[in-house]
Amino acid sequence: MKMLKIVNAVLFIDFLLLILSVLFRPVLLSKGLYYPVHPIFGWTLVALVGSHLFLNRKWVKSTYFKKK
C-alpha cells in the first residue's frame, strides 16, 4: 500500500509536468528543451501507469474479470 501511494504521487507530478511541458512548448522550444524533456515525461507516465495498474491488479481483476 505504501508503494502505491508513492507511485500515485509521482504519477500525479509527472502528469502535471507533462501538461506544463505542452503549455510552455514555445518557451521550451526556444531554449531547445522541449524535444529532450517532453518524451521523458511521456515515457515516465507510461511506466508509472503500468506500475499503478500492476499494484492495483487485485482490484482490476475482481472488478473487470469477475465470474458471472
Side-chain angles (χ1 to χ4, degrees):
M1 196 60 142
K2 185 177 181 181
M3 185 61 136
L4 182 59
K5 288 181 181 181
I6 293 169
V7 167
N8 287 344
V10 176
L11 180 63
F12 176 72
I13 292 167
D14 184 61
F15 183 66
L16 288 179
L17 290 171
L18 189 62
I19 290 170
L20 287 173
S21 73
V22 171
L23 292 175
F24 292 105
R25 183 178 182 202
V27 175
L28 293 172
L29 276 173
S30 68
K31 296 182 185 226
L33 293 174
Y34 182 77
Y35 291 111
V37 168
H38 186 74
I40 291 171
F41 292 147
W43 285 112
T44 303
L45 185 75
V46 169
L48 289 168
V49 167
S51 299
H52 175 82
L53 289 173
F54 177 77
L55 293 170
N56 284 303
R57 66 189 175 278
K58 288 181 184 178
W59 179 83
V60 171
K61 187 176 180 181
S62 68
T63 303
Y64 293 105
F65 300 108
K66 58 185 169 185
K67 296 179 183 179
K68 294 181 181 180

